[in-house]
Amino acid sequence: RASGDERPESSLRPIVAQRRITLCRTTTVRALVEWLAGPLAMMWQPYSLLGQNCQAFSRDLMEYLEQGRPASEALQDLRANKVVVLAAVQRDGLLLEYAADELQRDRKVVSLAVAQNPLALQFAKGEAFEDVRRNEVVVHTAVRQDGMLLQYAADELQRNEEVMSVAVAQNPSALQFAGRGLYADRGLILEALRR
């Protein structure tokens, strides 16, 4: 305990002696600080009796000290960990940019990221990107926030007069992404010029 008092022992809370570990030769104080400030800081959550607690930190620290992996490797593992990335994009969809390539292609990850922040649309890849760029509601929401995101929309949505109007109202430069037939639309051009 931080107070220096001994922790009371009971059958419900036994005191368990931790095994001694041998540090790997590559572990330096600098490497430990990089791990604390990098991967651990990304995953750290406030203390929770039911969730994260000192045992979780203790386990992670022992694992790091035994393996001695550099912070950069640990970060790569975090970026490829679907559970970690799902939690991250639920808080900030733009974190999809830092996810591993295969998770930027994952439909569930991409849909959660774009639902949290439509601007995450630009970081989606593969079939997940194709699904999102064809979704009229998602594209409409995205161009309302940033008209230039129209460049990621499917061709049929770039030809959609309503979507195009919203994009140009948000950013007149979005006119350059207008689909055939709308690029020469006099009303859209006038609206872009008024802005």
Side-chain angles (χ1 to χ4, degrees), residues 126-137:
E127 288 180 22
F129 174 68
E130 293 301 321
D131 290 348
V132 173
R133 71 187 291 254
R134 284 189 171 84
N135 185 316
E136 186 174 349
V137 174

Side-chain angles (χ1 to χ4, degrees), residues 36 38-47 52-53 57 60 91:
L36 289 169
L40 181 67
M42 286 179 64
M43 289 183 39
W44 185 84
Q45 296 177 4
Y47 182 86
Q52 295 289 1
N53 56 35
F57 171 75
D60 291 345
R91 282 183 272 143

Side-chain angles (χ1 to χ4, degrees), residues 9 13 65 73 77-78 94 100 113 117 120 153 172 186:
E9 186 175 356
R13 286 183 43 177
L65 291 172
E73 283 182 28
D77 289 349
L78 286 176
L94 293 177
N117 188 334
R186 188 179 198 134

Side-chain angles (χ1 to χ4, degrees), residues 21 74 107 135 139 144 153:
I21 61 169
R107 285 185 166 107
N135 185 316
V139 170
R144 189 177 305 126

Side-chain angles (χ1 to χ4, degrees), residues 7 10 24 29 41 44 46 95 104 118 129 135 143 159-160 175 187 193:
R7 188 174 297 275
S10 73
C24 65
V29 173
W44 185 84
L95 291 176
Q104 290 176 333
F129 174 68
N135 185 316
V143 298
R159 290 189 300 267
N160 182 305
L175 186 60
L193 290 173

